Amino acid sequence: MLTTAWLTIRRWVNDARVIEDQRLLGVWHSACKKASITSPPGLRDSQFCSTPLVVGTWSPTVLIPSSVLECLHDDELETVFIHELMHVRRHDASIRMAASLMGAIYFLLPWVWIANWRLRRLCEDACDETTVIALRGRRKSYGSAILKTAEIIGYEPPRFALGMRDSHRSPRQRLERLLDARLPLHPTSTLRTTCLLTVMA
């Protein structure tokens, strides 16, 4: 199953078209700046995926469906780019790859599968939060992008691929969460989190 997913992803990347449109590249560079990405990953237009995706671990590539590029305005598209770039900045692909390998090794343990399912949701929740922070609380265009992306026929992305619709939450649940007043609008201290994780480890 993991080998099939890897081959599928490689085929998608190889068949995707490198985006050279100056308008889209301008939006892309703006998103990279807001996401604090100094070495931007590759950006390609894919005919095979129906939702924006980040694929790859060591050399990540962002795949954007043609339908998304046609339906979204520049400000909406920027929020989509930032969301996918947050996956890159957080190294979520490497985490998911390790989790998938553990699921393959301990495939008989149901707790591993439950943990993997929970991890996928938490990765998307974290990217939603960091995207809102990068947008400085500007949520309207991000919510609009989520709704428009949800109108495109969804699918289950292969393992190692991180899609904007990979949270298993309905668009309504995601929007309600984004509008929650308790959602942080500024980066929180990482020192406390690092100490806590060290103690738990």
Side-chain angles (χ1 to χ4, degrees), residues 14-32:
N14 293 333
D15 293 342
R17 178 179 60 86
V18 177
I19 294 179
E20 299 178 347
D21 184 280
Q22 293 302 314
R23 179 184 63 85
L24 295 177
L25 290 178
V27 178
W28 171 250
H29 292 312
S30 175
C32 290

Side-chain angles (χ1 to χ4, degrees), residues 129-183:
E129 292 182 8
T130 51
T131 298
V132 172
I133 291 174
L135 293 171
R136 297 183 179 180
R138 181 167 53 93
R139 316 181 197 203
K140 182 178 179 180
S141 56
Y142 189 35
S144 178
I146 291 175
L147 288 176
K148 289 185 178 180
T149 304
E151 292 177 354
I152 302 172
I153 298 176
Y155 71 109
E156 182 73 11
R159 294 177 183 273
F160 309 149
L162 297 155
M164 191 173 177
R165 295 191 59 197
D166 200 25
S167 68
H168 296 286
R169 293 183 187 271
S170 67
R172 177 180 177 180
Q173 289 176 319
R174 288 186 72 182
L175 289 176
E176 288 178 347
R177 188 171 180 278
L178 288 175
L179 295 175
D180 191 338
R182 295 171 295 178
L183 196 69

Side-chain angles (χ1 to χ4, degrees), residues 90-116:
R90 288 168 34 82
H91 304 286
D92 285 340
S94 299
I95 296 173
R96 286 276 299 276
M97 181 177 68
S100 296
L101 291 174
M102 295 301 292
I105 296 172
Y106 299 103
F107 65 95
L108 291 178
L109 300 180
W111 302 114
V112 176
W113 293 91
I114 295 174
N116 278 343

Side-chain angles (χ1 to χ4, degrees), residues 187-199:
T188 56
S189 174
T190 58
L191 178 60
R192 182 175 59 182
T193 303
T194 302
C195 294
L196 179 60
L197 289 176
T198 302
V199 171

